[in-house]
Amino acid sequence: MFGMSKLKAGSFVFVVKRDDTSNYIVIGRIVSEVDKVYRIRGTFIRPIGLIERIRAGRAQGKPIDALNNPDPNNCVFFIIDTLDTGNFDEEVDPRIDKITPINENRYFVLDGWIKESMPELFSNYFNSASADEKSEARSILINRMNSLMSQELKEHVYAVARSSQIL
């Protein structure tokens, strides 16, 4: 499998797992490997907002593709809506789950996105019931974006906000 030689203890990875509902992702670091099964420690991300939008018929095209075949390049469709996240510390078998090596910057941008509560802020904007609510959610989002310390994260969030027509 392509990229497997890059998988070793200390490597950052993007993992696609499957549960009863859909695919979900894990971002983390390989802490050990035994017989080509990797112990990953990081964060799981379940896109509950995206799943609900798809079920309600409010999402189509690229978001559905991202849910069906998530990768580090399309995962933005996962992370601009309500998420279920938590700690992950389990073994992952690449014969069952898809493991993609990612660089440290990509890991820290995705991790920062979660830790800075960006999914909730974007979700609040997109799910606003009135123009006043949308304006307030936009203002809160912009204030949070302006306060981000990581330049890479800030650039990523601004790019997503621009492409989402928030800015």
Side-chain angles (χ1 to χ4, degrees):
M1 182 179 251
F2 177 76
M4 285 307 191
S5 62
K6 293 182 180 179
L7 296 178
K8 61 184 188 270
S11 297
F12 291 98
V13 291
F14 180 96
V15 179
V16 178
K17 293 191 68 63
R18 180 100 189 139
D19 67 9
D20 298 338
T21 311
S22 68
N23 287 316
Y24 69 100
I25 61 175
V26 174
I27 56 167
R29 199 171 210 174
I30 297 174
V31 293
S32 64
E33 181 253 325
V34 176
D35 296 328
K36 302 225 186 284
V37 174
Y38 302 92
R39 181 157 208 85
I40 311 284
R41 189 170 294 143
T43 303
F44 74 82
I45 302 168
R46 281 188 217 294
I48 56 176
L50 176 58
I51 292 167
E52 289 170 7
R53 281 187 313 167
I54 290 169
R55 283 187 185 146
R58 296 187 332 254
Q60 49 189 306
K62 290 181 182 179
I64 293 173
D65 294 341
L67 185 64
N68 291 334
N69 190 22
D71 67 46
N73 298 317
N74 70 10
C75 69
V76 70
F77 294 106
F78 266 65
I79 61 177
I80 61 171
D81 206 338
T82 307
L83 299 176
D84 176 23
T85 65
N87 294 331
F88 184 89
D89 188 356
E90 295 178 22
E91 291 183 340
V92 176
D93 186 338
R95 292 167 290 215
I96 299 167
D97 303 308
K98 182 179 165 188
I99 304 176
T100 305
I102 58 175
N103 67 36
E104 186 176 15
N105 281 350
R106 176 67 59 103
Y107 169 80
F108 283 114
V109 164
L110 293 172
D111 186 61
W113 189 281
I114 305 305
K115 288 188 170 128
E116 294 289 342
S117 302
M118 300 314 294
E120 292 80 15
L121 296 175
F122 274 82
S123 178
N124 290 344
Y125 174 82
F126 291 128
N127 296 314
S128 298
S130 69
D132 286 343
E133 275 185 28
K134 189 166 278 230
S135 178
E136 182 179 346
R138 180 181 183 274
S139 178
I140 291 168
L141 178 59
I142 289 171
N143 286 337
R144 176 61 68 88
M145 291 186 326
N146 288 336
S147 71
L148 293 172
M149 299 302 288
S150 163
Q151 192 59 39
E152 291 89 3
L153 178 57
K154 186 180 272 192
E155 289 171 4
H156 188 263
V157 173
Y158 267 89
V160 172
R162 279 192 300 275
S163 68
S164 302
Q165 300 178 342
I166 295 171
L167 299 179

